[in-house]
Amino acid sequence: MRKAEPGVLGIFARLEPLLEACKRLRREGVQKFQVITPIPVEEVQEILEKPRSSVRLFALIGGMLGMASGFALTIWTSLDIGLISGGKPIISLPAYVVIAFEMTILFGALGTVLGLFWNIRLPRFTLDPFYDPKFSEDHFGLWIPCGALDAPRVEASLRSLGAEEVRFEKG
Amino acid sequence: MMAPQAPAQPLSESLPETRRLRSFLWVLLILGAAAFLIGALGASPQRAWQTYLVNFLFWSGIAQAGIVFSAAYRLTNAHWGESMRRLAEGMAGVLPVSFVLFLLLFFGRSFLFPWIETSAHGKESWLNFPFLFARDGISLIMLYGVSFVYLYYTLRPIAGERFEGRGTPSGLHRFLIRGWQGLSGERARSERVLRSLAVAVVLTYAAVYTLLAFDLVMSLEPQWYSTLFGAYFFMGNFYLGLAFLGVTTILVRKSARLASQLPSRNFWDLGKLMLAFGMVTGDFFFSQFLVIWYGNLPEEITFVIHRTKDMPWATLSWIVLFGGYLGPVLLLFSRAVKLHARSFVLVSLLVLVVMWIERYLLVVPSLWHEKSLPLGWIEVLVTAGFAGAMGLSVLEFWRRLPFFFPSSGSKP
């Protein structure tokens, strides 16, 4: 189990109240809360003003590495064998462009997948204490860490915003 | 009896003032025509006619790419840039002029087709001038015909909406809405007809431009052939058409104050298309290059060696490789470049200029056999003349059909 923290969990059946709740939390200046959704929801990204994902950087670096290694592989093997074929120079770049291009795509794609896993923090072998199987089906969750003293107020406002179920987790 | 006519709004209200632009374009046109005549009748007929051919291919291609853009837009059920689509369709105003320009090629035939004087051995049945001129002429009539029928169905519901219950329009407008059946029915009908016509436009475009590429470019060096060349030619043409659309959109947006109809996310989307077609064109180039380079057959490789190893062409080839394919593709990866009018217009201009050089490089080295680079005042002025003719035709289109212009009435 991860290090547990006390907090209030709201479970929403529909997206709109969840977005409304997120907006309200932002307005009230609450920095630390977590949204759990069964599907990717772009609006949440916008409301939380997350910085742009770094996956693009992984893709770019992967692609450049791929291109470099494509040229390196072809040039090195040609030099190593040293056979003149088809009357072409030993290092004949036009032919190597094809390999370099394929390697760019391959490494770019692998870089993207790696970046994706890095960013969504997979693989992960433990679940958050507040995790509910419903979050992998058709419900949205909003986890707000707070102490037992604040809990009743937070619970009430989540209910008023349309949470289907609200509960306090002692952690 | 008709009800008393409602006071008709002046139709041209939505059009920006273009008098100064018109006179500027007329000056370009007259200068270009004069330079061409001086060149063709005296100074250097070879240079005049080869530049004429390059510019005919370049500007007709842009005009046709406008309609093809619209067809592709409809075929993909797009909704991202209605105003931009209308601007692209307006380029069809050039097509009649382009056909006349094609007919004029007749007088330059002996400067353009080397196989007229020394016959292309074994290819005479295909490469003879009467047959070439007839098949290309008929193909262009077909292509421009389909394009205009397509344009008719695009304009019809909008014209009808504009004139419904406002008395009888005259001339072109009457032709556009003859047999009007009521707005909702007409809209559905146009939608249905355009769906099939869009396919016809795209297919005819691919076929006819392949033929033009083979006849008006490849045959200039009759021993050379490359099967993919047709596809390369029409893809590159679409690419440069998109660049031209980018430049036009930004100019119109600024001069006609249409920032709300042409929001910057339109450039973003157009930029993505340009990126894709830049890649496709570059890829088609490379697919031909690799095979020809590897095979190293004399009848194929001469075309490439002449353009990539011999001066003065080699420099131009490098400019095209970096300025036309690699450079724009790398620049257009960036979201910011596509999203800002200023940077986007610069990239579009770069593509436009370099793709002109590319068309020049496809045509001229086949015809010019001296050491010097034939790129001077004749070429510049003739190109300017074509630009003037193109601009005037497009303005004439909008002057006759002002209700179609993207203005406050139309959705972005």
Side-chain angles (χ1 to χ4, degrees):
Chain A
M1 286 294 248
R2 309 178 103 214
K3 194 176 88 61
E5 216 179 348
V8 172
L9 176 72
I11 301 180
F12 294 78
R14 294 190 312 118
L15 183 59
E16 291 78 16
L18 173 83
L19 294 178
E20 202 42 57
C22 290
K23 276 183 202 152
R24 179 135 156 218
L25 282 168
R26 292 291 300 185
R27 262 205 310 279
E28 288 172 8
V30 180
Q31 288 300 324
K32 212 178 156 196
F33 61 95
Q34 194 166 339
V35 183
I36 312 110
T37 61
I39 47 161
V41 183
E42 268 182 44
E43 291 92 327
V44 173
Q45 296 273 336
E46 278 166 29
I47 293 169
L48 300 191
E49 290 166 23
K50 289 274 185 196
R52 292 172 75 193
S53 133
S54 65
V55 173
R56 65 193 65 222
L57 202 64
F58 281 83
L60 179 70
I61 293 171
M64 292 198 307
L65 268 179
M67 180 180 283
S69 52
F71 276 120
L73 175 72
T74 44
I75 291 173
W76 170 60
T77 49
S78 302
L79 285 176
D80 195 49
I81 292 176
L83 265 183
I84 292 174
S85 54
K88 301 280 191 286
I90 287 187
I91 297 177
S92 299
L93 290 182
Y96 304 165
V97 167
V98 180
I99 311 293
F101 176 76
E102 300 294 344
M103 296 286 257
T104 311
I105 305 288
L106 176 66
F107 279 51
L110 289 177
T112 312
V113 173
L114 195 71
L116 174 77
F117 276 72
W118 178 269
N119 273 277
I120 57 181
R121 301 186 201 103
L122 278 178
R124 200 166 148 186
F125 301 103
T126 55
L127 291 170
D128 287 317
F130 50 80
Y131 177 77
D132 190 306
K134 275 191 248 174
F135 298 151
S136 298
E137 288 162 7
D138 54 356
H139 281 67
F140 304 91
L142 183 57
W143 166 252
I144 307 165
C146 64
L149 283 176
D150 289 330
R153 193 170 61 82
V154 176
E155 280 176 14
S157 73
L158 278 180
R159 269 208 192 82
S160 74
L161 279 164
E164 199 172 65
E165 191 183 328
V166 176
R167 60 174 183 251
F168 178 69
E169 307 265 350
K170 274 200 289 292
Chain B
M1 242 349 244
M2 222 164 218
Q5 225 170 291
Q9 290 165 261
L11 271 174
S12 52
E13 79 207 85
S14 51
L15 283 186
E17 175 56 48
T18 55
R19 218 174 38 219
R20 277 173 61 199
L21 179 60
R22 293 176 98 79
S23 26
F24 174 65
L25 291 171
W26 271 112
V27 170
L28 287 188
L29 176 57
I30 291 166
L31 278 178
F36 175 72
L37 286 176
I38 291 171
L41 300 176
S44 177
Q46 183 61 46
R47 275 176 71 177
W49 279 109
Q50 65 199 23
T51 314
Y52 183 93
L53 179 59
V54 170
N55 278 298
F56 165 74
L57 293 170
F58 184 77
W59 297 104
S60 310
I62 285 176
Q64 188 58 52
I67 290 288
V68 174
F69 171 80
S70 163
Y73 182 95
R74 270 186 221 279
L75 281 178
T76 49
N77 284 328
H79 295 285
W80 51 268
E82 294 293 318
S83 297
M84 197 178 253
R85 197 205 72 220
R86 288 187 178 194
L87 288 179
E89 284 161 350
M91 290 178 201
V94 182
L95 295 181
V97 180
S98 149
F99 189 70
V100 174
L101 292 171
F102 167 75
L103 294 179
L104 290 180
L105 279 177
F106 180 82
F107 299 105
R109 61 191 184 285
S110 57
F111 297 104
L112 295 174
F113 303 107
W115 38 262
I116 287 185
E117 279 176 21
T118 50
S119 92
H121 302 289
K123 296 183 180 176
E124 294 92 341
S125 54
W126 181 257
L127 291 185
N128 65 77
F129 191 72
F131 184 31
L132 180 137
F133 202 61
R135 66 171 178 257
D136 288 0
I138 291 169
S139 307
L140 279 180
I141 290 175
M142 270 168 50
L143 178 60
Y144 293 174
V146 174
S147 301
F148 273 110
V149 177
Y150 177 88
L151 197 61
Y152 173 80
Y153 281 102
T154 312
L155 288 168
R156 188 175 160 91
I158 297 162
E161 191 178 8
R162 179 70 181 74
F163 291 109
E164 205 166 40
R166 292 191 195 216
T168 354
S170 56
L172 186 58
H173 298 149
R174 197 212 308 255
F175 167 73
L176 279 175
I177 60 168
R178 72 191 199 294
W180 182 252
Q181 304 282 331
L183 188 57
S184 61
E186 287 286 347
R187 269 204 183 132
R189 175 160 162 258
S190 280
E191 193 80 4
R192 207 175 52 239
V193 175
L194 282 171
R195 202 157 273 277
S196 327
L197 270 179
V199 181
V201 165
V202 172
L203 291 182
T204 322
Y205 168 71
V208 171
Y209 264 67
T210 302
L211 183 69
L212 289 187
F214 285 4
D215 278 352
L216 300 183
V217 182
M218 206 149 95
S219 88
L220 306 182
E221 205 155 313
Q223 82 290 349
W224 183 69
Y225 59 87
S226 171
T227 321
L228 192 57
F229 185 69
Y232 167 75
F233 188 79
F234 68 69
M235 281 301 179
N237 187 59
F238 191 63
Y239 176 45
L240 79 92
L242 293 175
F244 186 83
L245 184 59
V247 177
T248 334
T249 309
I250 286 169
L251 291 184
V252 169
R253 169 180 137 115
K254 199 160 179 335
S255 58
R257 292 189 203 83
L258 288 178
S260 58
Q261 270 72 45
L262 298 162
S264 54
R265 69 184 149 79
N266 277 3
F267 315 143
W268 188 13
D269 291 328
L270 187 67
K272 288 179 205 159
L273 263 185
M274 260 171 75
L275 171 65
F277 278 90
M279 283 170 141
V280 168
T281 314
D283 174 57
F284 280 16
F285 156 73
F286 188 73
S287 309
Q288 297 175 88
F289 176 78
L290 185 67
V291 174
I292 294 174
W293 169 83
Y294 193 78
N296 213 8
L297 299 172
E299 68 270 27
E300 287 180 2
I301 197 82
T302 5
F303 184 91
V304 178
I305 287 181
H306 190 39
R307 284 162 175 76
T308 54
K309 298 273 187 199
D310 296 349
M311 285 317 231
W313 314 116
T315 325
L316 295 182
S317 287
W318 286 109
I319 292 177
V320 170
L321 181 64
F322 285 100
Y325 306 138
L326 297 179
V329 165
L330 284 180
L331 287 173
L332 286 171
F333 273 137
S334 152
R335 178 170 175 263
V337 167
K338 286 177 281 196
L339 212 48
H340 292 113
R342 200 163 294 173
S343 51
F344 185 63
V345 82
L346 284 179
V347 178
S348 302
L349 271 177
L350 173 74
V351 172
L352 208 56
V353 172
V354 175
M355 286 308 277
W356 187 91
I357 298 178
E358 186 257 11
R359 301 280 116 145
Y360 175 88
L361 199 55
L362 290 177
V363 168
V364 174
S366 306
L367 302 172
W368 188 253
H369 301 295
E370 287 165 42
K371 280 268 166 257
S372 59
L373 178 69
L375 200 56
W377 63 270
I378 293 187
E379 284 73 17
V380 171
L381 286 182
V382 170
T383 306
F386 270 85
M390 165 107 189
L392 286 171
S393 322
V394 172
L395 286 182
E396 185 61 22
F397 177 93
W398 292 116
R399 211 174 58 80
R400 287 179 184 229
L401 301 159
F403 62 86
F404 191 56
F405 193 71
S407 57
S408 46
S410 64
K411 277 175 282 169

